[in-house]
Amino acid sequence: MNKPDENKTKSFKRVLRRIPGLILLVVISILIGFGIYNFNARDILGNRMPMPFGYGAAVVMSGSMEPALMTGDLVIVKEYGKDEEASELREGDIIVYTSESGSSLVIHRIAGFMDEGGIHRIITKGDANNTEDAPLTADRVIGTYVLRIPKAGDVMLALKNPVCIIGMIVMAVLLLELGIVSDKKKEQEELQRIKDEIRLLKEQELAAQFDEYTGQEKKAVNNGEPERESAAQPVEPDEQVKETATGEEINRKNKV
């Protein structure tokens, strides 16, 4: 693997290690934003069930619609416009509407219709209930049921708990911090590996230079030995000259 590809792989792995923490932060941001939106819609604007983009979500809090809807399920609801006629609703549809007091929301199935004093009314009933609910008018209908996500409502309620949110924030920070620490550790290990390689290369270079130098010294010594031997050879002729000269002096003395 060449250097650019290796760097790309390392960058990709670094991003992967940070994904869990980033996902948690995104989820927390969505929950906080959704919570602020719901607070403004419910407590300030008086909207019992905020529906951005025409759809909303609600948690089933009782078993009156079992087995179709179970406690803890998350239901997605399509907004029902106030200008729509009740005739657009059909028997068997599941609707969300406000209670008579207006303090809570109810999700029940339409059991029929009736006209009372010239007013068209809707009759609802919970699948698990034995009796029908009091008739209601179409202006109390908030939306119609679209689909359910089993037990997702319990998760949503838990995620709205301040303790859970704080725990998620701490976990997200820890995951991000662990990713950063891991990256720093790997960078330090890579830097140390590079230093070790440089030190090894320097040692090998110095060893090669030393071997080359000692080789040259040995070669120089080997080349110089014959010269020193030839310089020592003329000693014998000198001694012969001295001995000859001494013999001649003795002869001259004898003649005298």
Side-chain angles (χ1 to χ4, degrees):
M1 183 182 293
N2 54 33
K3 198 66 175 178
D5 292 339
E6 186 178 351
N7 291 335
K8 288 181 181 179
T9 302
K10 290 180 181 178
S11 300
F12 181 71
K13 289 181 178 179
R14 187 179 300 114
V15 172
L16 284 180
R17 284 193 293 270
R18 298 184 182 181
I19 283 179
L22 292 174
I23 291 176
L24 270 178
L25 286 178
V26 170
V27 171
I28 292 168
S29 300
I30 292 174
L31 289 174
I32 292 175
F34 190 70
I36 294 173
Y37 175 81
N38 281 344
F39 174 79
N40 291 332
R42 279 198 310 262
D43 299 340
I44 297 178
L45 301 178
N47 186 354
R48 293 293 306 169
M49 188 176 182
M51 292 193 181
F53 310 108
Y55 289 88
V59 180
V60 179
M61 303 299 294
S62 69
S64 63
M65 280 297 293
E66 294 181 357
L69 301 175
M70 305 297 290
T71 303
D73 288 350
L74 183 71
V75 294
I76 306 301
V77 180
K78 181 181 179 182
E79 186 176 11
Y80 181 79
K82 299 303 180 184
D83 55 344
E84 297 185 51
E85 297 292 335
S87 60
E88 295 183 8
L89 299 174
R90 299 286 184 269
E91 185 175 341
D93 289 348
I94 298 176
I95 60 174
V96 176
Y97 58 92
T98 58
S99 61
E100 290 188 73
S101 63
S103 60
S104 61
L105 297 177
V106 181
I107 179 167
H108 278 174
R109 193 183 302 273
I110 296 177
F113 300 91
M114 65 174 293
D115 289 324
E116 185 179 43
I119 300 175
H120 193 69
R121 297 182 182 275
I122 305 168
I123 302 172
T124 61
K125 175 180 174 296
D127 290 356
N129 294 345
N130 296 322
T131 59
E132 296 176 345
D133 305 320
L136 61 109
T137 55
D139 60 350
R140 285 170 52 191
V141 178
I142 293 178
T144 56
Y145 165 83
V146 177
L147 59 89
R148 77 182 181 101
I149 305 175
K151 298 303 177 182
D154 289 336
V155 177
M156 291 295 295
L157 291 177
L159 292 178
K160 288 182 179 180
N161 190 313
V163 176
C164 183
I165 292 177
I166 294 173
M168 289 177 64
I169 292 174
V170 172
M171 187 180 297
V173 172
L174 286 176
L175 286 173
L176 290 174
E177 185 65 22
L178 286 175
I180 295 172
V181 171
S182 178
D183 291 340
K184 288 183 177 179
K185 183 179 178 181
K186 289 184 179 297
E187 289 176 358
Q188 290 176 353
E189 290 176 352
E190 181 67 15
L191 181 61
Q192 185 61 42
R193 185 184 65 81
I194 293 173
K195 289 181 177 179
D196 292 340
E197 288 181 356
I198 293 173
R199 179 177 54 79
L200 181 60
L201 288 173
K202 286 183 176 180
E203 290 177 354
Q204 291 175 348
E205 183 179 357
L206 289 174
Q209 291 177 354
F210 179 76
D211 291 341
E212 183 180 358
Y213 175 77
T214 54
Q216 291 176 353
E217 285 291 318
K218 290 179 180 179
K219 186 177 179 181
V221 170
N222 292 333
N223 291 336
E225 286 176 358
E227 294 178 358
R228 285 195 294 270
E229 289 176 357
S230 60
Q233 287 175 359
V235 173
E236 293 179 359
D238 290 342
E239 291 178 353
Q240 293 175 357
V241 170
K242 289 180 179 179
E243 291 177 357
T244 305
T246 305
E248 290 178 352
E249 290 178 358
I250 293 171
N251 290 334
R252 283 198 298 271
K253 287 180 180 180
N254 291 333
K255 288 179 181 181
V256 174

